[in-house]
Amino acid sequence: MPNIGVLAIQGDFLEHKQVLEQLDVKVPEIRLPGELDGIDGLIIPGGESTTIVQLIDIYGFRPVLADKVKSGMPVWGTCAGMIAIANNLTDKRPEPLHLMDIEVSRNAFGRQADSFEEDLDVEDIEGPPFHAVFIRAPVVNSMGEGVKTLAKLRDGRPVAVRQGAMLATSFHPELTTDYRIHDLFKRIVENSA
Ligand code: GLN
């Protein structure tokens, strides 16, 4: 059974945990850097990226996460988690973790479209379009050559990307009953074990 941790310092980590448990994954809640040692992959959930990154630094996660990712640990960031793992942000805050070769804009949809839903064709998963829930969501502005777009909005902006064993999604698959992206991440973790 794979062991996929959820970073449990702020945000909707419990929803990710509930989905992964349905998929027969063991899901430790990670609150201290030393707890990263026992896991095969990590999810950084949605929430408030400035708070999440602030707590990451207070608890000393930053250098440990960088090491783990360098040695191949799969990481998936959803929404605020995508912001946290980016290389660059168009905003001044927070200072991202520089783990994935993407530049991200926070709150890219402004007030009018604070939250919305859209059906997306997602590469690397089978079946019908994925019903994606966006909440004060970021988008990917640009990405390096090693990053592949898995899904984009009708206007062409990327909202799901993959770089090797790393995933980032602007939307919240953990808030739906469609487990296909969690299952994709589980397979990434199994294949990199
Ligand atoms: N807008 C939030 C941020 O900038 C992210 C929102 C979310 O995770 N749903 O951190």
Side-chain angles (χ1 to χ4, degrees):
M1 203 192 248
N3 214 335
I4 299 179
V6 287
L7 189 68
I9 52 180
Q10 198 263 337
D12 74 336
F13 57 89
L14 278 178
E15 284 77 1
H16 279 291
K17 182 174 166 130
Q18 281 156 5
V19 173
L20 288 170
E21 284 175 348
Q22 302 283 319
L23 298 175
D24 290 326
V25 173
K26 215 173 141 225
V27 194
E29 294 176 17
I30 305 299
R31 296 198 170 80
L32 292 169
E35 294 164 347
L36 295 171
D37 279 338
I39 59 174
D40 308 313
L42 179 73
I43 292 180
I44 303 181
E48 183 53 44
S49 58
T50 49
T51 308
I52 291 179
V53 172
Q54 199 176 17
L55 292 168
I56 279 175
D57 282 325
I58 287 173
Y59 291 115
F61 274 105
R62 188 181 286 262
V64 189
L65 273 172
D67 276 357
K68 292 281 176 195
V69 165
K70 221 177 263 165
S71 57
M73 183 179 78
V75 174
W76 174 18
T78 55
C79 203
M82 168 194 260
I83 297 166
I85 65 178
N87 223 348
N88 286 301
L89 302 179
T90 51
D91 299 64
K92 287 209 181 69
R93 275 179 356 123
E95 179 60 38
L97 300 173
H98 313 288
L99 299 176
M100 192 172 188
D101 196 7
I102 52 176
E103 183 190 80
V104 170
S105 287
R106 296 174 62 200
N107 303 320
F109 302 95
R111 286 194 163 200
Q112 273 167 325
D114 239 23
S115 303
F116 62 98
E117 303 182 10
E118 191 168 317
D119 288 331
L120 304 175
D121 290 318
V122 182
E123 279 193 52
D124 296 355
I125 69 170
E126 306 276 316
F130 193 94
H131 188 72
V133 176
F134 295 84
I135 304 168
R136 304 200 342 112
V139 289
V140 180
N141 270 336
S142 62
M143 58 187 103
E145 275 182 8
V147 185
K148 162 175 150 184
T149 300
L150 297 185
K152 37 192 169 178
L153 295 171
R154 269 178 239 119
D155 67 13
R157 289 187 282 178
V159 288
V161 291
R162 174 172 177 177
Q163 179 181 7
M166 299 223 291
L167 278 185
T169 52
S170 303
F171 51 95
H172 290 272
E174 74 284 8
L175 300 182
T176 66
T177 51
D178 189 338
Y179 299 164
R180 285 176 294 164
I181 300 183
H182 285 82
D183 190 62
L184 169 64
F185 188 61
K186 178 187 172 188
R187 282 183 280 126
I188 290 173
V189 169
E190 284 170 338
N191 289 336
S192 70

